[in-house]
Amino acid sequence: MSEPRFLITTPLPEPAYALLSAQGTVDVWEHEHSSGELAEAAASGRYSVILSQLTDRLGAAELADAKIDGIANYAVGFDNIDIAAATSAGIMVGNTPGVLTAPTADIAMLLILATARRCIEADTYTRAGLFEGWKPSLLLGSDVSGATLGLIGSGRIAAATARRAAGFDMVIQHCSVRGPHDRVAPGESELELGQRVSFDELIETSDFVSVHVPLAENTYHLVNAAVLSRMKRSAILVNTARGPVVDEAALVAALKSGEIAAAGLDVYENEPRLASGLVELANSVLLPHVGSATVSVRSKMAELCALNAIAMSRREIPPHPVNPQAWHS
Ligand code: DGY
């Protein structure tokens, strides 16, 4: 059997290169690339597995002539890949679940605290030299302790966020929104804390609504203008999942009109672009998609991604397959 050739579309932390180069040849793209270039590489017959990023679009068009065994996505999310197209082309897809659960939940908690306690506004105020001493009414925020946190989704990251929120004495409720690739059986949840409620009850009664569902057809614009209008006027929306789950233009309108109080976002509908008007809003805290951005986690993701790729290059089911049926269909 000839040795496999891997394509890494964007340089990854170690041990990705070390693991892959011990098994075969590794090409690493260091340049910005188009989806056309990616499609050409996939169709070239040179590569056994492509190690892709969530910014690499691998839709039906890009996969139409692909001659690869697998795609190892450097992310837990895989909405950048058309899984149905990959499956029917016999391409296995792998992802990197688990290792980024804790840091992403940390960022959700950070956004809850930062929005409620107006952390960025307060920091900007202090740096601007405006702090003239303690005042009873200076930069008043809203309570976290005792507030109700509504988690949209009940998977691993929602569960880890619930555990953190419990430590802040928050009251937790959650609802399930099932996606097409969910492994947890209907009725099951990884969430042991809090109360399961309907989506409608959750959005109408929560002080904080935090989004923890993957992007899929049924979650696109799940939080839209109608949903925002039913949230409490004092409510805060947090999104660490995927931008398009929230209608960002509708969110800007709701934040401007005071329909909801604030938003803490790590993800955006059209990354890296932000919806018009969002940047100007003091009641938004905006992070650049850094949920998993710690040195050790990015390295663990690189390891999982490489292990997925190596297994796929041997036509073995990888440690974290998204569509294990790809090679049997
Ligand atoms: C993911 O893995 O899907 C995150 O969004 C980036 O780490």
Side-chain angles (χ1 to χ4, degrees):
M1 209 167 73
S2 63
E3 71 164 23
R5 190 172 196 112
F6 303 97
L7 171 62
I8 301 181
T9 65
T10 302
L12 293 177
E14 286 298 357
Y17 189 85
L19 288 169
L20 294 166
S21 57
Q23 304 298 323
T25 309
V26 187
D27 289 349
V28 185
W29 280 353
E30 308 232 0
H31 59 277
E32 292 289 316
H33 47 272
S34 63
S35 46
E37 194 178 349
L38 194 52
E40 261 175 46
S44 67
R46 281 201 303 278
Y47 299 109
S48 156
V49 180
I50 293 180
L51 290 88
S52 57
Q53 298 291 321
L54 57 85
T55 46
D56 289 323
R57 174 88 202 122
L58 285 157
E62 288 78 18
L63 295 175
D65 301 315
K67 295 183 194 65
I68 50 177
D69 290 315
I71 301 167
N73 212 37
Y74 183 65
V76 65
F78 43 82
D79 46 280
N80 56 310
I81 302 168
D82 184 329
I83 299 299
T87 305
S88 62
I91 299 168
M92 181 78 68
V93 176
N95 68 342
T96 64
V99 293
L100 45 78
T101 300
T104 307
D106 291 344
I107 287 285
M109 201 62 223
L110 179 150
L111 287 170
I112 289 169
L113 293 166
T115 46
R117 300 305 304 274
R118 303 174 60 185
C119 177
I120 307 300
E121 278 179 87
D123 179 272
T124 307
Y125 177 91
T126 310
R127 287 173 200 275
L130 299 172
F131 181 41
E132 289 170 345
W134 191 91
K135 283 185 199 139
S137 57
L138 181 61
L139 285 161
L140 303 186
S142 47
D143 292 327
V144 171
S145 173
T148 297
L149 170 63
L151 300 159
I152 301 181
S154 51
R156 268 185 291 245
I157 298 175
T161 305
R163 287 194 296 276
R164 283 153 179 74
F168 281 85
D169 295 331
M170 297 187 86
V171 177
I172 293 145
Q173 55 186 12
H174 53 91
C175 67
S176 281
V177 180
R178 306 213 59 76
H181 303 286
D182 283 358
R183 295 277 163 68
V184 184
E188 277 180 24
S189 161
E190 305 197 36
L191 239 163
E192 285 153 11
L193 291 166
Q195 199 189 345
R196 181 189 280 257
V197 295
S198 68
F199 178 78
D200 289 343
E201 185 176 345
L202 183 133
I203 58 161
E204 285 166 10
T205 61
S206 297
D207 299 305
F208 295 82
V209 172
S210 188
V211 179
H212 299 282
V213 286
L215 174 61
E217 255 173 49
N218 64 325
T219 60
Y220 175 78
H221 281 192
L222 182 67
V223 180
N224 55 23
V227 168
L228 290 162
S229 73
R230 284 158 52 208
M231 286 169 63
K232 292 184 179 182
R233 288 184 82 79
S234 55
I236 294 178
L237 179 75
V238 167
N239 188 5
T240 53
R242 281 293 183 269
V245 176
V246 176
D247 179 340
E248 206 169 292
L251 175 62
V252 171
L255 289 169
K256 268 190 187 157
S257 68
E259 206 158 60
I260 67 166
L265 307 176
D266 186 40
V267 290
Y268 304 89
E269 192 165 348
N270 296 299
E271 291 181 14
R273 279 182 292 119
L274 308 190
S276 159
L278 188 56
V279 169
E280 290 80 35
L281 292 172
N283 56 347
S284 64
V285 174
L286 309 176
L287 304 181
H289 203 150
V290 289
S292 63
T294 76
V295 174
S296 75
V297 168
R298 288 286 164 84
S299 171
K300 285 181 200 148
M301 289 169 66
E303 182 177 358
L304 284 192
C305 193
L307 294 176
N308 278 340
I310 290 166
M312 292 191 275
S313 74
R314 297 178 181 146
R315 296 288 294 183
E316 290 165 9
I317 300 290
H320 298 287
V322 170
N323 56 344
Q325 72 280 22
W327 290 343
H328 311 294
S329 57

